[in-house]
Every structure is written in structure tokens, then in C-alpha cells.
Amino acid sequence: MTDAHEIRHEIRIATGDDIVRIRRAVRTVACAARMSLVDRTKLVTAASELARNVIGHGGGGTVRIERLISPSGVSGVRMVFEDAGPGIPDVRLALTDGWSTGQGLGLGLPGARRLVDEFDLQTVVGEGTRVTVTKWTR
Amino acid sequence: MTTQPGEQTHIVELLRSRRETALDRWTELAGAELRGRLSRGELRGELDDLLSLMLRALDGPDAEAAHDELTAALSEMSRRRARQAFTPTETAFGVFALKQVVYELVTESGSNRPRLTEELMAFSHTVDELGLLTFETYAATREQVISDQAEQLLELSTPVVKLWEGIVAVPLVGTLDSARTQVVMETLLQTLVDTGSLYAVIDITGVAAVDTEVAQHLMKTIKAARLMGAECVISGIRPQIAQTMVALGIEFGDIVSKASLADALEYLLARSGVRIVREEAG
Ligand SMILES: Nc1ncnc2c1ncn2[C@@H]1O[C@H](COP(=O)(O)OP(=O)(O)OP(=O)(O)O)[C@@H](O)[C@H]1O
Ligand SMILES: [Mg+2]
């Protein structure tokens, strides 16, 4: 059973419904971390973008959402999106505004990076992609 | 769990040796009032799984892992019951019924082992804990079901309303996912045609977040409306959404945006040549 005090969600990402569920979970955790409405909205939107990429480009995967407390006592939220999809051959290009291999605006990945405080993208072509983002409560 | 493995050897032995009888009886007791929400066979299958895990958790080489699996399986069962509209009491009773089963088995066996009472007590305690666990999960699941339903209701209730002759509005509320945005936008375009309107307001005051996909749907709709000779205005972009959109890099280009639905209406009335004049009182 999950401990009510430890906030941590693992959600699979396969359908649009999962994205709704993820947004709700992120909102809950961001509230628990006492984030402002603006920061909450930014985090939820980043989650939406990254989850959509997992479905659209990564062939589905999972996300782990957890509340963090830094050594200096600052609250934050971390989200780790993982998929075992094709990976991203050119990360710099993928992080360029307006670049998309699909029909999108090509703003999801670079936009998500601007919406959070820490952004880490690990990808291996043919193996998959892991995007880890963190936002701290101000 | 407070029960140590090995503590209930006799009960475990009984349950192992008379497994089928125990399962039949447990199914009978737990399934007294299924009322078609679950078949007896399904119930028996579930209880069978629970019993295996329980026996492993009580007395197996992998007791701890089995215990974790058992709690997970119980939570899962409880969640299913909540969705199948069982009450939490029914669900918990189903688990508690195992005590009755064991009591009957022990009585039948005529055993009078010295530590039997202690064993029964410990076993009863174990089952109580498991029953209570289903209760907790049930409550959490019901909340989830209710909030899901609320959300679905919101999703269904996106009407296109007529504000004025030739001006329609669509207030978007809740979580915008791709499918829903698409439906709303198609409805809007159809309503423009059906009502012969030339102006539309898309009000997003009630929207929690706008991501690139939603923004793209909005823009496509507005472009399509333009091709049909109609003009769309967006209203109600709240501060947190505006800031998020700026950070994402979404630009609405030359699309007119107004702070509120009222402002948008005023703007479109002016565009359509209607002048609003306040009559002097007296
Ligand atoms: N998880 C992923 N696996 C593989 N490729 C990815 C993944 N995420 C992003 N990409 C690649 O990076 C590109 C840029 O992603 P980005 O989210 O910025 O744009 P997009 O998804 O194409 O459009 P949108 O603006 O709607 O998000 C994608 O087109 C895709 O080629
Ligand atoms: Mg994207």
C-alpha cells in the first residue's frame, strides 16, 4: 500500500486518458509542495508536453512523479519520463524551437525545458529516451 | 503485519490440505449477495489467488515478498469492487469471511492442539488487518471515481451558446485533451454554419492549462473559421496560462484576445456595427 505521507506516483503513459491522469497527479504533488498557481500551471503543462511526446514519439512509457525536499529544505517536484522508443538522433535539433518530425509545433520539448528549473535528457537511438525535470518551489 | 511466519502452522496446514473445501466455503460466504455484479466463478478465482498469496505470506520461503503481493492484490480487488459498486462493508466482509471458514475447518478437524487458540487469535488478527486494508483502498478509489465523473461531466457539457444575433460563444471548461478540444472545435464550426454567425468567442477562463496541442487546435479552428468568413476572438486567458504560453513559445499571431467574455462581446458587437448606449435615467 502506498504511504499517504510519501508522495510518489508511477503512471503508465499510453493513452490520452493517461495524460489527464498525469496532469491531475502533478497538480496534486505541486500543491503539496506549495507551489504558486503560476508554477503549478507551468509544471502541469510541461508534464503534458513530455507525456505527449512519450506517446507520440516514444511509443508509450511511464512517468514517475515525486515530491522533493532539497538539503536546504526547499520543496520541489521531480518528474521522470521514460520510454523505450526510437530515441532522438539529434538532441540539439529536437530542442530547437519549431523543429518537429511530426505535425506538431515543435515547441513541446524546448518549451518544457523553459517551464522547469532543471532539465535532463538522456537518449540512445534504438533504445529509448529519459527526460528528467525538476521544479523548485519559490 | 504483526503475525510471524510459522506461528500459525496448524491453520496453514489445514488450509493447504483442505484447500478446495475452504475455497468453496469462502466463495459461498463472500458471495452471498453478488447480485450479478460479479460471477461466482470470478469471485472464486480471486479468492483462490488471495489464498495462495496468504499461505505464502504466512508460511513460505518468500513470506515478505508474498505479503507485499498480497496487499497489492487486495488493494487491486478493493479498487475493482469500488468500481463494480460494492459497498466497502461488503468488500471487507468478503475478506473477514475467511475467519469463519477457518473456524469451521478447525472445529471439523477436531483438533485440540495446545496452541490452537493463540493460532486462531493471530490468524483472526491477520485477516482483520487485510479486511481493513480493503476499506482504506475503497475510500481512496471512490474519491477517484467521483472526481473522474465530475471531470467527464465537464467534458460533456461544452455547449456553443448564442450571445447575440450573429455572435456565438464556446466556453471551454476543465481539462482540455486533444479529443475533446477537437470535438468542441468541430461543434463550433458547425454552429457558425448552422446559425449563419460571423463571429465567435472562444472563452478559456475555465481551462486549467493550455499546451502546444490545445493551442494548435485553437489556432486551426480559428483559421478554419476565417476560411468560412468568420472571425474568432479568444477570451479569458488567465495570468498563469498567459505566462505558461509565453514560456512555451506559443504565439497566437494576429488573433484577437480579450481579457473577459464581456470584453470580447463588446468588441464583437462593435465589429458587427451594434452600438451600446446607456439611457439616461429620468
Ligand atoms: N520521447 C521521444 N522519443 C523520440 N523522439 C522524441 C521524443 N520526444 C521528442 N522527440 C523528437 O523531438 C521532436 C521535437 O519534440 P517537440 O515536443 O518539441 O515537438 P513535437 O512533439 O513534434 O510537437 P509539439 O510542439 O506538438 O510538442 C519531435 O518531433 C520528435 O522527433
Ligand atoms: Mg511534443
Side-chain angles (χ1 to χ4, degrees):
Chain A
M1 199 179 60
T2 52
D3 184 340
H5 302 289
E6 180 204 325
I7 305 183
R8 188 190 167 122
H9 300 258
E10 297 243 14
I11 303 175
R12 97 201 149 110
I13 318 174
T15 68
D17 281 354
D18 294 328
I19 295 185
V20 173
R21 208 165 297 135
I22 289 164
R23 278 203 285 246
R24 185 164 34 210
V26 172
R27 204 174 287 283
T28 310
V29 180
C31 277
R34 306 209 162 278
M35 263 182 208
S36 70
L37 180 57
V38 172
D39 284 346
R40 245 153 46 209
T41 308
K42 286 184 175 175
L43 195 65
V44 168
T45 308
S48 209
E49 294 299 341
L50 296 173
R52 214 187 297 294
N53 282 352
V54 167
I55 295 178
H57 310 297
T62 56
V63 60
R64 197 176 76 231
I65 306 158
E66 59 195 347
R67 167 141 182 227
L68 296 182
I69 313 265
S70 79
S72 54
V74 180
S75 257
V77 178
R78 172 165 298 160
M79 314 188 285
V80 185
F81 294 83
E82 252 173 311
D83 65 62
I88 304 176
D90 189 335
V91 173
R92 203 181 48 85
L93 213 50
L95 282 167
T96 305
D97 275 354
W99 193 84
S100 168
T101 54
Q103 311 292 317
L105 297 173
L107 289 174
L109 213 48
R113 173 151 78 162
R114 287 188 291 266
L115 291 169
V116 298
D117 297 321
E118 289 160 30
F119 182 97
D120 176 63
L121 195 158
Q122 303 286 335
T123 182
V124 177
V125 171
E127 286 183 20
T129 303
R130 181 170 67 223
V131 183
T132 307
V133 299
T134 309
K135 195 166 185 68
W136 298 104
T137 306
R138 266 183 281 274
Chain B
M1 196 153 34
T2 45
T3 328
Q4 256 94 65
E7 213 180 330
Q8 299 160 43
T9 35
H10 185 54
I11 293 178
V12 170
E13 269 165 31
L14 265 180
L15 281 171
R16 284 220 167 99
S17 59
R18 315 235 10 233
R19 188 182 170 105
E20 294 306 309
T21 319
L23 265 179
D24 286 340
R25 182 71 177 131
W26 193 8
T27 309
E28 186 184 342
L29 289 169
E33 290 221 30
L34 289 173
R35 291 202 301 270
R37 290 167 294 186
L38 186 72
S39 80
R40 205 151 285 267
E42 283 170 314
L43 176 65
R44 196 176 193 279
E46 285 184 1
L47 296 181
D48 194 359
D49 291 344
L50 287 186
L51 189 58
S52 308
L53 286 170
M54 198 156 174
L55 289 173
R56 271 171 55 204
L58 282 174
D59 164 25
D62 59 343
E64 235 168 88
H67 180 243
D68 287 349
E69 270 183 61
L70 176 61
T71 22
L74 264 176
S75 305
E76 192 41 52
M77 186 187 92
S78 180
R79 239 171 264 141
R80 272 200 307 276
R81 291 284 187 280
R83 298 194 188 277
Q84 290 158 338
F86 281 81
T87 68
T89 323
E90 285 176 312
T91 307
F93 261 134
V95 176
F96 291 148
L98 182 60
K99 291 199 278 187
Q100 171 84 24
V101 175
V102 165
Y103 182 74
E104 287 173 7
L105 282 182
V106 169
T107 316
E108 252 175 65
S109 77
S111 164
N112 53 358
R113 293 201 176 192
R115 295 217 336 113
L116 197 54
T117 320
E118 281 95 328
E119 267 199 37
L120 274 173
M121 284 293 289
F123 183 78
S124 157
H125 195 85
T126 308
V127 175
D128 284 347
E129 278 183 30
L130 296 175
L132 288 177
L133 174 69
T134 67
F135 232 95
E136 278 176 39
T137 316
Y138 186 96
T141 309
R142 278 316 287 177
E143 276 168 33
Q144 183 71 53
V145 169
I146 289 166
S147 80
D148 283 354
Q149 283 169 346
E151 199 149 317
Q152 280 164 14
L153 267 183
L154 284 180
E155 302 205 346
L156 292 173
S157 59
T158 306
V160 179
V161 292
K162 182 171 159 186
L163 291 182
W164 195 269
E165 199 54 52
I167 306 179
V168 296
V170 52
L172 298 182
V173 182
T175 307
L176 284 184
D177 59 34
S178 173
R180 180 173 166 241
T181 316
Q182 194 138 9
V183 169
V184 169
M185 294 300 134
E186 278 165 16
T187 316
L188 174 62
L189 293 177
Q190 191 57 48
T191 314
L192 282 173
V193 175
D194 295 347
T195 60
S197 299
L198 285 180
Y199 300 101
V201 186
I202 301 173
D203 184 75
I204 62 168
T205 312
V207 170
V210 173
D211 59 17
T212 58
E213 199 184 37
V214 171
Q216 221 184 346
H217 279 303
L218 287 175
M219 285 190 273
K220 278 188 186 153
T221 309
I222 293 172
K223 278 187 194 146
R226 267 191 199 155
L227 284 175
M228 294 161 48
E231 182 181 346
C232 289
V233 173
I234 296 182
S235 70
I237 301 184
R238 286 174 301 152
Q240 67 272 24
I241 300 224
Q243 290 181 56
T244 304
M245 285 173 61
V246 169
L248 262 183
I250 296 171
E251 283 165 24
F252 274 152
D254 56 350
I255 293 163
V256 176
S257 154
K258 294 288 166 190
S260 68
L261 187 56
D263 289 346
L265 177 60
E266 194 182 336
Y267 168 82
L268 289 179
L269 282 173
R271 296 271 300 159
S272 56
V274 177
R275 247 165 27 94
I276 307 173
V277 185
R278 174 164 295 161
E279 269 184 42
E280 290 297 330

